[in-house]
Amino acid sequence: MINLLSLKEKKERKQEQDLKVIFIIGVFILSALIVAGLSFLSIDFYLANQVEYQKALTESRISETNRIKLLDEKISKIDNILFEFNDFYNEQFTISTFLYELSDLLLPGISLDFFSYNEKGNKIMITGTASDVEEADEFRNALREQEGLNNIIFTLPDWLQTGKINFRVEFELEK
């Protein structure tokens, strides 16, 4: 193909072509900048959203931790109260248990008339009757052999009396 254009015309066309290329490159660069800007903007929105989400999650965890601490404190208080109740219960003297153990020591001819328990010093006083002196003596020996009884004072009005005899026993319980 033969080019019959003048040099001036060729130069103008070359400039137009260069301007079109520059325009196209400018549009590409501008488009790339717009895309990059929009990408950075979307990343910024995403990160801001994530920061808010993490703040809410952290506040939720802190609130949950505080509730757990309060529950732990309440549980500790209840636990202490239960330990105090348990200590109180363990320190109590159960008359029924003692009377059951005492009934094992009683012989068939012995009957109890009076029972007294004084919490101060864990003192017990019993009065009763025995069919004869031998049974009263056996009861006294059984009490002396019993563990946990201290300072046993066994009183009979007359060791030579025959028939029914009244007695009185005083002793202290070990704690």
Side-chain angles (χ1 to χ4, degrees), residues 1-165:
M1 207 185 337
I2 299 178
N3 194 351
L4 300 172
L5 293 175
S6 69
L7 268 167
K8 186 178 176 187
E9 191 73 28
K10 283 183 184 180
K11 201 175 189 184
E12 283 178 12
R13 285 196 179 185
K14 175 75 174 152
Q15 283 178 347
E16 281 179 19
Q17 196 175 23
D18 288 343
L19 277 175
K20 285 181 183 178
V21 168
I22 290 173
F23 179 73
I24 291 172
I25 290 174
V27 168
F28 281 140
I29 290 174
L30 185 62
S31 297
L33 288 175
I34 290 173
V35 168
L38 290 175
S39 297
F40 288 138
L41 189 62
S42 69
I43 289 172
D44 184 47
F45 285 144
Y46 174 76
L47 291 177
N49 188 17
Q50 286 298 315
V51 167
E52 289 299 319
Y53 174 73
Q54 292 299 326
K55 281 183 184 177
L57 191 62
T58 303
E59 288 174 4
S60 171
R61 296 290 183 196
I62 289 172
S63 172
E64 187 176 321
T65 303
N66 289 339
R67 280 186 277 148
I68 288 172
K69 284 182 183 178
L70 287 174
L71 284 175
D72 192 34
E73 289 174 6
K74 287 180 181 179
I75 288 171
S76 293
K77 287 179 183 177
I78 291 171
D79 199 29
N80 288 337
I81 290 170
L82 289 176
F83 278 129
E84 289 175 10
F85 276 132
N86 193 29
D87 288 344
F88 174 77
Y89 178 74
N90 287 336
E91 290 176 5
Q92 296 302 307
F93 171 68
T94 55
I95 296 289
S96 60
T97 305
F98 174 74
L99 289 175
Y100 179 74
E101 292 172 2
L102 183 65
S103 69
D104 289 341
L105 300 177
L106 294 177
L107 300 172
I110 295 180
S111 63
L112 300 180
D113 298 330
F114 180 78
F115 176 86
S116 170
Y117 171 68
N118 185 354
E119 192 173 346
K120 277 188 177 177
N122 276 342
K123 294 183 180 180
I124 292 182
M125 197 238 338
I126 300 171
T127 60
T129 57
S131 60
D132 57 23
V133 173
E134 287 82 26
E135 279 193 343
D137 189 43
E138 286 181 41
F139 181 57
R140 179 182 69 159
N141 291 334
L143 285 174
R144 287 182 177 168
E145 292 174 3
Q146 187 69 26
E147 291 183 23
L149 304 181
N150 297 326
N151 302 330
I152 299 172
I153 301 170
F154 196 90
T155 309
L156 286 177
D158 185 8
W159 282 97
L160 300 175
Q161 182 178 345
T162 59
K164 270 191 164 186
I165 188 165

